[in-house]
Amino acid sequence: MDENPVNEKTKTGTRGRKLLIEIALAAAVWAVFAQVYRFDFVSFDDTAYVLNNPHLRHGLSWEGIRWAFGTTSCEFWHPLTWLSFLLDFELFGLHPGGYHLTNVVWHLLATLLLFALFCRMTGCLWRSAFVAAFFALHPLHVESVAWVSERKDVLSAFFWMLTLYLYVYYTEKPALKRYLPVVFSFVCGLMSKPMVVTLPLVMILLDVWPLKRLNFDREGLLLQLKEKLPLLTLSAVFTAVTLYAQYRPAGRDLQFPLASRAANAFVSLVTYLQKTLWPTHLAAFYPFPDHIPALKAVAAVALIFLITASAAAAAKRLPFLFVGWFWFLICISPVAGVVPIGDFAMADRFHYLPSIGLSVILAWGLPAIIKNDTLAKKFLLAAAGLFLLAMGIVSYQQTTVWKNDTRLFQHLLRVTKNNYLAYINLGSVLDQEGKTSEAVACYSEAIRIMPNLVLSYNKRALAFAKLGRYQEAFDDLNKVIRLKPDYADAYLSRGAIYLRLGRYAEAVGDFSEVIRLRPDDDSGYFNRGNARIRLGQLSGALEDFNQAAARNAHDPAVYINRGVILLRMGQSRQALEDFTRAVRLKPDDAGAYNNRAFVLLSLGDLAGGCADAQKACVLGECATLHTAREKGLCRQTD
């Protein structure tokens, strides 16, 4: 069969333009987000996901993989997200730049897949490019990319796009061998973030337009149900798992009535639309409003229903409007807040996947308004370019907000009102910097805004203790325990203050309460062991450190303290094993080397003991080296 040279030339030109667009998308993403390589972790969840997560130290071992698939830590079951962090730890250790760049890579891959998806479905090159660029550069999406803990967003987005691309491939020639990869990719998306549960409904929307596979008769609907049933079943299962993971913890601090949550859901939907076109005052945490005026809530409900009714009425004449709007509405419904998911009103990250529907409305709706094709091409091309350029500039600026804790929380206080969480976290930052009095002021402001939030009192109590204001610290902790008797951290904090003041028996009592409330947590056992050492209860302390080691095998302090007890009990060989474990876990720990040097010298291993004593001295602990030299065990050159 002869090939048409014109058609072949056209195809070649299209492939060339696609490549240029892909390069431009990659360059734009890199220009906006490459800066994150220099950013730190932030205390919003990054501590739980990475910094204070001992399980990451397993890396991609069988133990690490078993943990990833078996945990609901951070109130999600998302094993692929955990696996990605385990891989990051293998590659980067705890260097934040590597984790940040991994987020950027997943975001870029999702962007390129989105472009390829709409090109394949619609054949519209430039409109598909706009949809992809909108997704890549919108300021509301900065949170998903620049926040390490939102790895689940960018990873699930990649599998979302891949699943839809494989689904389009399946629809071109339906067969089981093409359907199974769709199911597999969908499961991968669900195991990255459960928000992907809405994807089967989005597939049905795409069958309306642009795939045009859905006939609204009985036979067509039954075919859709049969085809999507395996995927819908998976969505139902993952929804149940997510509800179990999120609501198993008892007693959230803040509860909001159903009527307030419903009103906030509609107001937030309108706010998302507003920020889509005018993205200002973006925040990592939007406090739930104390009061929503009835008129504002009614107006929001009316607007959302008006848009929904208009989109439904235009389903045949303007199918892209119907699909785009319901894409947005369906995708954002699980996180709209009617079902409580947190103590916030809305979140930028929730806009990430739903926004694709809004970009579809812009990409196909605006050209439909302008009837003159020549005018439409010139005007819309320039308007789209300026819009995306503006989005990119704002996104670049918004990304800088995530550089570190101080910048993030100061920005929160600038763009929001009564943001108690920003005051709490800024207080923590100031406390770490030694500005404890300023930290107390921040915690006090958080308490003024939210008087019954126990976290604020707990943190202020610890700050008071640092300042030597112990009675005020006890007052705060006693109030916490009255407000929430099952709040283990209050007993942990009060026990730590008792320990500092030498009130060891009272410390043991509080740490025992921590163990009762959180039997799987090592901190209660570790601290009670320390208190029992001071009371001379060596056997009890030894048992506590055994329990702490069983629950957290990666804390060198556990082995150092247990080794000291074993040494005092005359079990030098066992103590040596513990100090060696501590050295292996933390090669720069002076105390571990110093203690091991003492044991080695006492066992007659002068070479090993002197080497360890010298290493400890280099790290800042010279007691054993000086003693050994005085006794002539180590030479001055050792």
Side-chain angles (χ1 to χ4, degrees):
M1 179 178 176
D2 293 335
E3 293 182 351
N4 187 324
V6 175
N7 290 340
E8 184 61 30
K9 183 177 179 181
T10 302
K11 290 179 182 178
T12 303
T14 301
R15 284 196 296 267
R17 286 194 295 272
K18 280 185 180 179
L19 179 60
L20 288 175
I21 290 171
E22 288 165 351
I23 292 171
L25 288 170
V29 168
W30 186 254
V32 170
F33 294 111
Q35 59 181 307
V36 298
Y37 182 73
R38 303 186 302 274
F39 289 8
D40 295 333
F41 294 113
V42 296
S43 56
F44 268 173
D45 289 355
D46 286 357
T47 50
Y49 272 91
V50 181
L51 284 175
N52 295 340
N53 184 354
H55 302 285
L56 286 193
R57 287 151 182 78
H58 296 311
L60 280 177
S61 62
W62 282 115
E63 189 176 358
I65 293 170
R66 282 198 301 271
W67 171 78
F69 279 89
T71 185
T72 55
S73 179
C74 299
E75 299 186 2
F76 284 106
W77 188 70
H78 46 23
L80 287 193
T81 296
W82 288 124
L83 289 178
S84 75
F85 281 128
L86 290 171
L87 177 59
D88 276 0
F89 186 81
E90 290 272 9
L91 296 174
F92 313 116
L94 289 177
H95 185 273
Y99 293 78
H100 280 296
L101 285 187
T102 302
N103 274 23
V104 176
V105 169
W106 285 116
H107 177 62
L108 174 58
L109 292 175
T111 297
L112 296 176
L113 267 175
L114 178 60
F115 173 60
L117 169 69
F118 272 87
C119 278
R120 186 159 192 148
M121 287 193 302
T122 67
C124 298
L125 188 67
W126 295 110
R127 297 182 192 188
S128 301
F130 175 83
V131 169
F134 181 97
F135 175 78
L137 300 176
H138 200 284
L140 280 169
H141 302 170
V142 166
E143 180 173 293
S144 295
V145 184
W147 186 6
V148 167
S149 296
E150 282 310 304
R151 172 68 53 81
K152 51 188 175 287
D153 260 14
V154 291
L155 189 61
S156 64
F158 169 79
F159 285 111
W160 174 285
M161 310 307 176
L162 180 61
T163 302
L164 288 180
Y165 193 88
L166 291 171
Y167 175 69
V168 172
Y169 177 69
Y170 156 78
T171 62
E172 293 168 355
K173 190 178 179 181
L176 181 62
K177 65 180 181 180
R178 291 190 175 202
Y179 188 78
L180 291 178
V182 176
V183 176
F184 177 76
S185 181
F186 179 50
V187 171
C188 288
L190 290 168
M191 291 194 297
S192 303
K193 185 176 183 180
M195 193 171 170
V196 177
V197 294
T198 57
L199 189 50
L201 300 178
V202 171
M203 291 178 181
I204 295 173
L205 289 176
L206 296 181
D207 282 342
V208 174
W209 178 91
L211 300 179
K212 300 178 181 179
R213 298 179 68 235
L214 177 56
N215 295 318
F216 288 95
D217 53 19
R218 183 173 180 275
E219 185 177 345
L221 293 174
L222 286 175
L223 180 63
Q224 281 289 327
L225 179 62
K226 180 181 178 181
E227 185 179 72
K228 305 301 187 299
L229 187 59
L231 304 176
L232 291 169
T233 302
L234 286 168
S235 291
V237 169
F238 274 80
T239 298
V241 169
T242 301
L243 291 174
Y244 170 76
Q246 291 205 336
Y247 298 105
R248 184 178 49 180
R252 290 181 180 271
D253 289 340
L254 302 176
Q255 299 287 346
F256 303 104
L258 176 61
S260 297
R261 297 199 307 270
N264 177 72
F266 282 98
V267 171
S268 295
L269 286 176
V270 174
T271 306
Y272 284 124
L273 296 179
Q274 172 197 327
K275 288 183 181 290
T276 297
L277 298 175
W278 196 253
T280 60
H281 292 82
L282 305 185
F285 180 81
Y286 298 92
F288 199 94
D290 294 330
H291 172 68
I292 299 176
L295 185 60
K296 184 177 182 180
V298 170
V301 171
L303 179 60
I304 295 302
F305 274 100
L306 177 63
I307 297 174
T308 303
S310 300
K316 290 186 177 180
R317 188 168 57 88
L318 301 170
F320 49 81
L321 175 61
F322 172 83
V323 170
W325 176 249
F326 278 93
W327 178 312
F328 170 74
L329 215 54
I330 289 169
C331 288
I332 212 164
S333 59
V335 291
V338 177
V339 176
I341 54 173
D343 304 332
F344 43 82
M346 55 181 286
D348 291 356
R349 60 189 177 275
F350 295 159
H351 185 268
Y352 193 54
L353 288 173
S355 69
I356 297 171
L358 301 179
S359 66
V360 167
I361 294 173
L362 293 174
W364 272 267
L366 291 178
I369 296 173
I370 304 175
K371 303 301 182 182
N372 187 310
D373 289 343
T374 303
L375 179 62
K377 286 180 180 179
K378 290 181 179 180
F379 170 76
L380 290 178
L381 185 62
L386 289 173
F387 177 76
L388 294 173
L389 177 62
M391 293 295 103
I393 292 171
V394 176
S395 287
Y396 184 90
Q397 295 171 337
Q398 182 64 21
T399 301
T400 65
V401 167
W402 290 87
K403 186 174 184 178
N404 53 45
D405 276 340
T406 303
R407 186 171 293 189
L408 178 63
F409 301 130
Q410 287 177 343
H411 172 80
L412 277 180
L413 293 176
R414 282 196 303 271
V415 300
T416 60
K417 295 180 180 179
N418 293 327
N419 199 322
Y420 61 91
L421 197 61
Y423 280 111
I424 292 172
N425 283 277
L426 183 58
S428 297
V429 173
L430 293 169
D431 200 10
Q432 290 168 8
E433 293 175 350
K435 301 173 182 176
T436 308
S437 296
E438 295 173 52
V440 166
C442 283
Y443 299 140
S444 298
E445 188 63 17
I447 289 169
R448 181 192 66 78
I449 297 167
M450 196 68 67
N452 292 327
L453 188 63
V454 296
L455 179 62
S456 309
Y457 290 101
N458 188 63
K459 284 183 171 287
R460 189 173 71 172
L462 294 173
F464 277 144
K466 278 188 179 181
L467 295 171
R469 296 159 63 176
Y470 295 111
Q471 188 55 54
E472 291 167 285
F474 284 128
D475 289 344
D476 272 355
L477 291 171
N478 291 337
K479 179 161 187 174
V480 170
I481 291 169
R482 287 196 302 273
L483 286 170
K484 194 173 181 182
D486 62 347
Y487 190 62
D489 283 343
Y491 297 100
L492 191 65
S493 299
R494 193 171 68 178
I497 298 173
Y498 282 140
L499 192 60
R500 184 183 305 177
L501 295 175
R503 296 162 64 174
Y504 303 128
E506 292 164 289
V508 166
D510 271 353
F511 294 140
S512 297
E513 189 65 14
V514 174
I515 291 167
R516 184 185 71 80
L517 293 169
R518 290 199 309 229
D520 295 329
D521 187 358
D522 65 294
S523 60
Y525 291 102
F526 178 83
N527 285 284
R528 190 173 70 177
N530 284 331
R532 282 178 164 174
I533 290 176
R534 271 71 169 187
L535 290 169
Q537 301 171 0
L538 296 186
S539 58
L542 179 61
E543 178 56 29
D544 277 341
F545 287 121
N546 288 338
Q547 294 290 341
R551 286 158 176 77
N552 183 1
H554 300 278
D555 185 356
V558 173
Y559 298 108
I560 292 174
N561 289 12
R562 189 172 70 177
V564 169
I565 295 172
L566 291 167
L567 197 58
R568 290 173 64 177
M569 296 174 73
Q571 301 178 37
S572 299
R573 294 288 179 184
Q574 293 90 328
L576 180 61
E577 291 176 8
D578 271 356
F579 295 142
T580 300
R581 286 193 189 97
V583 166
R584 191 180 304 121
L585 288 167
K586 193 175 181 183
D588 61 349
D589 192 307
Y593 282 105
N594 191 67
N595 289 335
R596 190 170 70 171
F598 178 85
V599 177
L600 289 171
L601 290 170
S602 67
L603 292 173
D605 184 353
L606 299 186
C610 290
D612 271 1
Q614 179 64 34
K615 178 73 172 178
C617 194
V618 170
L619 293 170
E621 176 56 73
C622 299
T624 297
L625 182 62
H626 289 161
T627 302
R629 283 175 176 171
E630 289 172 2
K631 293 181 178 181
L633 299 176
C634 298
R635 299 188 306 275
Q636 191 66 31
T637 54
D638 286 335

